[in-house]
Amino acid sequence: MYTIGEVAKLLNVTTHTLRFYEKEKIITPERTEHGDRRYSESHLQWLRFVIKLKETKMPLVQIQEYASLFLQGDRTTQKRLGLLKNHQEHVQNQIHVLNEIDDMLRKKISAYEEYLQKRDFS
Amino acid sequence: MYTIGEVAKLLNVTTHTLRFYEKEKIITPERTEHGDRRYSESHLQWLRFVIKLKETKMPLVQIQEYASLFLQGDRTTQKRLGLLKNHQEHVQNQIHVLNEIDDMLRKKISAYEEYLQKRDFS
DNA sequence: ATACTGATTAGAGTAAACTCTAAGTCAAGG
DNA sequence: CCTTGACTTAGAGTTTACTCTAATCAGTAT
C-alpha cells in the first residue's frame, strides 16, 4: 500500500492531480482510520493505464466513463470492450496521421538541407 | 485568392480562428482596398501545415516562433531547420508511444474477448 | 514544547486555445 | 433596397486539465 506522496513520485504526477482524479471518480483509493489515502498495486496499475490513455489524447470524460463501467462490474464487459475497440481505432488513426507528418517533415528537412548545401558551395 | 469565409470552409475552421491566428502573428493575409482579407494558395498551404503541426500537439507558441522565423527571411534557415528536426524527433517519439499503447490495447481487447467467449460457452 | 513533514479539505486560480458578443461600418449582388 | 458577408476593436466566456492556496491536523524528530 502506497501513500499519495509515494504514488505521486512513482508515477510522476503531483498529489494535486491524484486528488483531482479522485474527485473526478477516476480512482478511489482506500483510506486509513485517519482518512489518509492508501493505494494498492492494482490502483497503481489502473493509474498507469489511465496515464497511457492520456498520452493518446483520450479526454478525461471518456476515461471517467470507462472507470465507471468498471465499477458497475461484470455486466459492462461488452461495453468496455466496445470502448476499447473504439479507442484503438482512434489510436491507429493517430499513428497514421503522425506518420504522414513525419513524412512531410522529412521532405521539408531535406529540402532545407539541400538548399543550405547549395548555398555553401556557391 | 480566397476570402476568410472560403478558407474557413476549406480548412474546417471558423473565421474566428483565422482572425485569432492573425492576431497571434501566425498568418498575415493580404487585404483588398476595402480591408478584406485575401488568402493566396501559399497562405492556404501554410495554414494546412499549421493545422498538421497542431495535430502533433505542437503548441501555438512554437508555431508562432516558426512563423516569425519565416518572416525574418533567409538567414533564419538554419534555425528553422533545427526547429523542424527537433519537432520531427517529437513526432517520432509520439509514434513510438502510440504503438506501445496500440499493443497494450490489443492485449486488453483479446483478453476481454477470450473472457466473453468462455462465458458464452459455459 | 515546538518545529517539521506530510496528510486532509473546499474552493480559487491558471494556461492554452479558442469562441463568441457587442456594436458598429461598408459594399457588392439579387 | 435589403440581405449577406465582410470588416473593426475590445473584451468576456468556455473548456480542459490541472495547479495551487489556506487552514487544519496527526505523527515524528530535536
Side-chain angles (χ1 to χ4, degrees):
Chain A
M1 296 297 238
Y2 306 87
T3 68
I4 194 168
E6 285 163 355
V7 174
K9 216 169 260 174
L10 279 169
L11 302 186
N12 254 318
V13 296
T14 67
T15 55
H16 292 301
T17 304
L18 290 171
R19 292 201 191 92
F20 172 71
Y21 283 177
E22 189 171 346
K23 201 169 71 191
E24 300 296 316
K25 304 256 172 68
I26 282 167
I27 188 160
T28 313
E30 289 164 42
R31 299 291 185 129
T32 66
E33 37 193 322
H34 294 306
D36 289 18
R37 290 166 181 80
R38 281 299 124 88
Y39 297 82
S40 69
E41 252 338 306
S42 67
H43 284 129
L44 268 190
Q45 262 177 44
W46 167 244
L47 281 172
R48 281 200 197 94
F49 182 52
V50 166
I51 290 165
K52 281 274 174 214
L53 290 180
K54 284 202 55 49
E55 291 182 66
T56 65
K57 295 185 184 176
M58 191 192 252
L60 275 199
V61 273
Q62 250 175 70
I63 298 178
Q64 261 170 39
E65 200 186 333
Y66 189 79
S68 107
L69 287 176
F70 243 125
L71 292 179
Q72 285 165 57
D74 226 51
R75 69 196 163 63
T76 65
T77 313
Q78 287 279 10
K79 269 195 191 167
R80 261 137 72 198
L81 179 57
L83 225 149
L84 284 183
K85 278 187 170 171
N86 210 303
H87 188 58
Q88 194 186 28
E89 236 173 84
H90 218 77
V91 169
Q92 282 167 1
N93 196 42
Q94 274 182 61
I95 292 173
H96 181 71
V97 167
L98 285 172
N99 272 317
E100 270 179 21
I101 292 168
D102 187 37
D103 237 59
M104 192 186 69
L105 287 173
R106 201 192 320 284
K107 277 179 199 148
K108 265 199 195 273
I109 285 168
S110 58
Y112 266 124
E113 276 171 344
E114 219 173 287
Y115 171 68
L116 284 172
Q117 276 222 330
K118 269 190 194 141
R119 217 174 48 173
D120 281 352
F121 287 109
S122 66
Chain B
M1 295 297 238
Y2 306 88
T3 68
I4 193 168
E6 286 163 354
V7 175
K9 217 169 260 175
L10 279 169
L11 302 186
N12 255 315
V13 296
T14 67
T15 56
H16 291 300
T17 304
L18 289 171
R19 293 203 189 93
F20 172 71
Y21 283 177
E22 190 171 345
K23 201 170 72 191
E24 300 296 317
K25 305 255 173 69
I26 282 166
I27 188 159
T28 313
E30 288 163 41
R31 299 291 186 130
T32 66
E33 39 192 320
H34 295 305
D36 289 19
R37 290 167 182 80
R38 281 299 125 90
Y39 296 81
S40 68
E41 254 334 308
S42 67
H43 284 129
L44 269 190
Q45 262 177 44
W46 166 243
L47 281 172
R48 282 202 196 93
F49 182 52
V50 166
I51 290 164
K52 281 272 174 214
L53 290 179
K54 283 201 56 50
E55 290 183 66
T56 64
K57 296 185 184 176
M58 191 192 252
L60 274 199
V61 273
Q62 248 174 72
I63 298 178
Q64 262 171 38
E65 200 186 334
Y66 190 78
S68 106
L69 288 176
F70 243 124
L71 292 178
Q72 286 165 55
D74 226 51
R75 68 197 164 63
T76 65
T77 313
Q78 287 279 11
K79 268 194 191 169
R80 261 137 73 198
L81 179 56
L83 225 149
L84 284 184
K85 278 188 171 173
N86 210 301
H87 188 59
Q88 194 186 29
E89 232 172 87
H90 218 76
V91 169
Q92 282 167 0
N93 196 43
Q94 273 181 62
I95 293 173
H96 181 71
V97 167
L98 285 173
N99 272 319
E100 270 179 21
I101 293 169
D102 187 37
D103 236 60
M104 191 186 68
L105 287 173
R106 201 193 319 283
K107 277 177 200 150
K108 264 200 196 274
I109 286 168
S110 57
Y112 266 123
E113 276 171 344
E114 218 174 288
Y115 171 69
L116 285 173
Q117 276 222 331
K118 270 190 192 141
R119 217 172 49 172
D120 281 352
F121 288 110
S122 65

